[in-house]
Structure formats: structure tokens, C-alpha cells
Amino acid sequence: MLVSSVDGSGPGMVVRARTRSHAPAPCTGCGTPSGWCHSRYVRRLGDASLGGRPVLIELSVRRLYCENASCGKATFAEQVPGLTVRYQRRTPLLQHVVEAAGILLAGRGGTRMLQVLDVTLSRCTVLSQLMRMPLPPLVTPRVLGVDDFALYGDTYGTLLVDATTRLPLTLWEGRDAEQLSCWLREHPGVEIVCRDGSLTYRQGITAGAPEAVQVSDRFHMWQGLSRRVQDVAAAHRGCLPAALPPAEEADPVPDEETAEDTAADTRAGRHARRLFEAVHTLTASGHSYSAMARELGLDRRTVRKYARARTWQEVMRRPPRKPSTLDPYRDYLQQRWDEGEHNAMVLHEELRSKGYLGHYQRVKMAIAPLRRGLPLDQPRERPPSPREAARWITTHPDRRSLHTTDRLHRLLEHCPELKRTHHLVRRFAAMLDNHDAAPLPSWLDELAHSGLPPLSGIAGALREDQHAVAQGISTTYSSGVNEGRITDVKLQKRLMAGRADVPLLRHRVVLIAHLRRRYADRSTTAPR
């Protein structure tokens, strides 16, 4: 190729060049070399910017006759390797930049990034270039990961991941067994499948790859058991205050009756009491949560919260006050109030001189009960919530703090049901830690006869999937790779504002994983 001139007088840079006149070029149809020139024409190719200025290449190329009589092409345009591609108005370098921007940032984000690089393209063009890229050839994996993800609204999708290479294979809309079984039949050779406890995926794998070993993920098993533990704690909510240490005789006893009367006089208190009475009246008459929600015009979760509460005070939005940085100065506030100083601004300045770093509003709110003739609010520890109690039970004993261990001991000594739950949880945790599934049958029997409905229910589900559960306990395979890839799927959805159609989302998820892997391999093999 011979460069005739470079024009840099305008806002961009124009490179004018032409190919050699006597060099043969292969036919684009049959590959036969030919040097028989028909004519010339100028191709205009965009290239990567140079020095912050866009580059345009005006390339004069030949149109040649094909000398192969059996070829369907009479004439063809010669191509310059590394510079031109058929029907392409960008150089391979610029095309690679456009495709990378589309893979990484999708339409609008890719367009904005290309503008920074002095390349002007619409978002539709960026997306069309992205969808023209072929997906990498799909190789049937030995270990397959299957999991679902929220696509939009109540619609879910299925993601397949090669657990060995940790690369996504494909995804589609829906999570039914038929689609998964069809894919497995079309790609024979899968030996191990990692999944969650979904009955749908279990049926699809059994139908599509009956010889494959199914592995139930440890994380999902532990998560399901933790939720049942929380249900047990919620059913024994009345036992949770036993976790608090007994009040010492020297501690001031808060005036609960005065606080309850004060709460009952507020608008929130009257509203909570009215709803509590209405929900419990309907509960006594045998109404379901859904029926009560329709009759009272409330959300079903709100009805359930009021139905599970023992008193209307439990559903008040304002929980007992937590300790604050003002607590060490409350005795001084009480002393100054008794001396006649009732100005919150003056009290705040006095506390600042004593080392208090908090805001004036906190001091003003602290002395508000004194203005109504009530004592200062004293910090008191609240009982653990069912979720917090479940977290105490499921946490490994070596990772519990002394504070948690002390309160959990009190709780378990007071509630035999939670003590039984704790024993069952620790047995299952020992199986997971030791990768030993031998005690699983006896543990399932004990779980089924525990007398706790939430645990008995999960025992039946685990027994139906016992072989996969045993594989999940005893082997090192898991769905951790799937969860990581689903996190990436959610990120790509957010980058496209949730408007991505399934083919576009599939293209980006698969290609971006391979692009990252390619650049990671380059960085590890590059000489230092």
C-alpha cells in the first residue's frame, strides 16, 4: 500500500492511500488469485483517533475480474489484510473498540464512551454491532451449574454455568423443567449438575440427563434451614425476652404503665390498638390472613404482623431506645433540670464543655419527657427479634461474641423447643464441616420427629432429595460459581436500566465473561 498524502488541516485527520497496481488479490468468492483490474474506487474507513482527533482513511482499492470461470462472482473488490473487511466502514482496530464498548457498557453507555474516544455512533448502531458478534462455541461441560434469577417482575430466567471454567454458557427466560431437559438432551456428556433444592430443576435434570449426579448446594440447604429456625423462633416469640439479663435491684425500674399510657394517647398508639383489636377479632372467627387483608384493606404481611403480636404495643413502630452518646450525661441533665435550668441550648453548651460531641437536637429531644412531667428515658436492651435469635443459633459457637453466647445460653435454658432446634442445627453444621453425610438419615428422622412443624416440613423436602443432599454434604461441588455469575447478570441488567431483552442480555453476559477472561490471561502471561 502506498500513502499519497495526510491532511490534518481540519478538525480530523484524513489519510489518503492506494493499493499497488500489479499485486494479485484472492477472490472473495472462490479464493483464486487475480491481478486483472476492472476499475478502482475509494473506500472511506473510520479508524481509531490519533492525538485526540478522529482519523478517516480514504483508500483507493481495485475491483478485479475473477479468472475462475466456475466462480459465481464476475468481479470482486480486493481486501487489505488488517485494514479492511467486506462491507465494513471501520478498520478492525476501531471495530474492536466499538464491540468492546457494546459488550461492557451496552447501548447508551457505549455511545458515551465512544464519544470520549472521538467516535460518533448511535446506541442502535452499537447494539447492532454487538448482536452481530458470534457467541463462543459451546462445549458441553463435565460439571454444570444451574440456577435461576429474577428477570423482571414475577418472571424468572435460568442461567447455565460451566463449573470447571467458571464461564456462563447460556441463559433463557423461564425456569421450567422442559427447557432444561431439552438443553441437556441436545448437549450430552454432563456428568455432575450443581443446583439448589428446586423441584423443577430436579425433574428437568432427571429427564434430560438421568445418568448425571445431582448435587444440592450447601448454601441453599443452610439458607433453607436458617429460615425454618427463624419460623421456630417466631412461633416462640414469647420466650425471646428470657435472653435478657435479669434486672438488678439497684437499677431504676422504668415506669412501663406510664409509658404505655403515653403511647396509647398518641395517634400511632390509637391506630395500632384499633388494628390489633380488629385483626384479633377476625382471627378468632377463623378468617385467613388473605381474607382479613381484603376486608381491612391492609397488606397481608401487616395482617400477619398484627395477628402474631400478643399486645398492641409490640407492633408500635418506635422500638425501645438504643444506647446513645448522650447516656453518660443524663444524670447531669437531670441535676441541672432540678436546679431550674430548662433551656436546651444552654444545657447543650454545658455538655459540650464536658466533652459531649453530639447535636443540639439530641439534647432537646432528651429533655422533652421532663417538660411533660415524665422521667428521662433510660437506655434499656430490647429482646432479640426472631431473626436475631435465629442468627445466634446458626452462628458457629467459635464466632459468637461473649455477649451473644451469654444471652443465647439464657434463651435455650428457658425454651426447650429452641434448645432442641439449636441441637439439630449444630448436628447439621457438623456434617457440613466434616463433609460427612453418614449421619444424614438419623438426623432427618430426628428432624421429622422434633415436634416443630417448620423443621418437620423441611425434613420431608430433604428426604425426597436425599441423594443430592448427601452429595452436597460430602463433595466439594457447589453453586458458588452460579451465584457469582447471577450477580454479574444483575449488574448487566442495571447497566441497561432493566430494559434488556433476553437475546441481548445473553450476548452481553456470555461475551463479557470471555472478554474479562481473555484480558486476565493476557495480564498473567505478559512479561514483567
Side-chain angles (χ1 to χ4, degrees):
M1 185 176 66
L2 176 64
V3 177
S4 57
S5 65
V6 176
D7 185 4
S9 59
M13 185 173 296
V14 181
V15 178
R16 297 183 177 89
R18 59 180 291 144
T19 58
R20 292 189 178 95
S21 301
H22 303 292
C27 174
T28 56
C30 63
T32 303
S34 174
W36 185 7
C37 183
H38 173 275
S39 60
R40 278 186 175 270
Y41 75 101
V42 176
R43 294 186 62 176
R44 290 172 175 81
L45 305 170
D47 197 10
S49 60
L50 180 63
R53 301 172 66 182
V55 176
L56 176 66
I57 299 177
E58 293 184 352
L59 178 63
S60 175
V61 296
R62 296 172 295 168
R63 179 169 292 278
L64 304 170
Y65 289 104
C66 181
E67 300 182 15
N68 184 2
S70 60
C71 179
K73 285 183 173 293
T75 62
F76 65 93
E78 65 175 331
Q79 304 296 328
V80 180
L83 184 62
T84 63
V85 181
R86 295 180 66 192
Y87 310 114
Q88 183 70 46
R89 299 184 65 181
R90 288 178 286 275
T91 62
L93 176 61
L94 181 58
Q95 180 66 17
H96 175 72
V97 172
V98 172
E99 292 174 351
I103 293 174
L104 296 174
L105 300 173
R108 296 184 188 276
T111 299
R112 289 191 289 266
M113 176 55 69
L114 290 173
Q115 288 177 349
V116 175
L117 301 176
D118 296 303
V119 180
T120 303
L121 289 177
S122 68
R123 63 181 180 88
C124 295
T125 302
V126 175
L127 291 179
S128 67
Q129 297 301 313
L130 168 62
M131 296 304 294
R132 284 176 54 187
M133 295 182 64
L135 292 176
L138 197 152
V139 179
T140 302
R142 174 179 170 269
V143 183
L144 177 67
V146 182
D147 210 345
D148 62 345
F149 63 95
L151 196 55
Y152 48 84
D154 295 331
T155 304
Y156 286 80
T158 299
L159 176 68
L160 303 185
V161 181
D162 186 339
T164 304
T165 62
R166 311 177 74 88
L167 291 174
L169 299 174
T170 185
L171 61 86
W172 60 73
E173 182 178 347
R175 50 179 177 180
D176 56 299
E178 183 61 30
Q179 285 179 295
L180 180 57
S181 62
C182 289
W183 190 93
L184 289 172
R185 282 191 291 267
E186 293 172 359
H187 303 83
V190 176
E191 300 178 10
I192 300 172
V193 183
C194 303
R195 57 167 176 80
D196 56 14
S198 170
L199 175 62
T200 301
Y201 289 148
R202 187 198 318 169
Q203 295 172 344
I205 297 168
T206 303
E211 302 296 330
V213 177
Q214 300 188 37
V215 179
S216 185
D217 182 52
R218 291 188 295 274
F219 167 76
H220 288 94
M221 290 190 289
W222 186 256
Q223 184 183 52
L225 181 61
S226 301
R227 289 173 178 171
R228 300 309 187 278
V229 172
Q230 184 174 340
D231 293 340
V232 174
H236 297 82
R237 190 185 299 266
C239 299
L240 300 183
L244 301 179
E248 299 179 0
E249 296 181 359
D251 290 345
V253 179
D255 190 354
E256 297 293 343
E257 295 182 359
T258 304
E260 291 181 4
D261 293 340
T262 303
D265 292 336
T266 63
R267 180 184 299 177
R270 291 191 296 268
H271 178 72
R273 170 175 281 181
R274 184 170 62 253
L275 287 182
F276 177 81
E277 294 173 352
V279 169
H280 278 262
T281 300
L282 293 175
T283 303
S285 60
H287 285 66
S288 65
Y289 289 164
S290 300
M292 287 188 287
R294 288 191 298 268
E295 183 170 342
L296 298 176
L298 300 174
D299 188 86
R300 188 178 182 278
R301 289 173 295 182
T302 304
V303 171
R304 182 178 60 187
K305 179 179 69 173
Y306 276 87
R308 291 179 175 179
R310 295 175 301 167
T311 62
W312 64 268
Q313 288 87 353
E314 291 184 12
V315 295
M316 288 290 291
R317 293 183 179 180
R318 185 178 180 182
R321 190 184 61 79
K322 294 182 179 180
S324 71
T325 56
L326 186 61
D327 292 339
Y329 306 96
R330 289 185 178 275
D331 292 339
Y332 179 79
L333 284 177
Q334 184 68 54
Q335 174 187 345
R336 294 291 292 133
W337 184 273
D338 295 339
E339 293 174 357
E341 182 55 68
H342 298 172
N343 191 311
M345 187 68 72
V346 174
L347 293 174
H348 178 252
E349 291 297 329
E350 293 179 3
L351 292 182
R352 288 188 61 184
S353 64
K354 292 181 174 294
Y356 175 65
L357 302 177
H359 196 268
Y360 154 75
Q361 287 293 338
R362 180 163 291 182
V363 177
K364 180 180 177 181
M365 294 175 63
I367 65 175
L370 298 176
R371 300 187 186 279
R372 300 195 301 269
L374 301 175
L376 282 174
D377 289 340
Q378 296 297 329
R380 57 187 185 275
E381 188 176 2
R382 72 177 76 182
S385 64
R387 177 180 295 182
E388 189 174 6
R391 186 167 62 248
W392 290 354
I393 293 173
T394 56
T395 301
H396 193 278
D398 295 341
R399 301 184 63 182
R400 297 175 189 150
S401 64
L402 295 177
H403 177 276
T404 300
T405 302
D406 180 59
R407 278 149 180 75
L408 179 60
H409 176 72
R410 291 194 188 93
L411 179 61
L412 299 183
E413 289 298 322
H414 180 269
C415 183
E417 290 81 6
L418 290 178
K419 187 174 184 179
R420 195 179 317 135
T421 302
H422 178 264
H423 169 69
L424 292 169
V425 169
R426 298 272 43 98
R427 281 195 60 190
F428 186 71
M431 285 189 281
L432 292 179
D433 292 340
N434 300 326
H435 293 281
D436 182 14
L440 180 62
S442 60
W443 181 78
L444 289 176
D445 293 336
E446 188 176 353
L447 199 67
H449 298 91
S450 62
L452 303 170
L455 298 184
S456 302
I458 195 176
L462 292 177
R463 197 183 299 278
E464 292 177 0
D465 200 21
Q466 185 170 342
H467 180 71
V469 171
Q471 292 292 328
I473 293 174
S474 58
T475 64
T476 58
Y477 299 109
S478 71
S479 298
V481 178
N482 306 10
E483 299 298 333
R485 286 302 173 190
I486 285 176
T487 301
D488 190 54
V489 170
K490 295 176 181 178
L491 172 62
Q492 307 315 321
K493 281 176 51 186
R494 293 188 181 101
L495 285 177
M496 295 182 285
R499 294 192 294 266
D501 200 5
V502 173
L504 175 58
L505 184 62
R506 181 190 303 117
H507 248 70
R508 291 200 61 232
V509 168
V510 174
L511 291 176
I512 198 173
H514 284 265
L515 184 65
R516 290 169 178 165
R517 177 65 57 85
R518 185 162 63 248
Y519 279 99
D521 293 342
R522 288 182 184 177
S523 62
T524 55
T525 57
R528 297 182 179 179

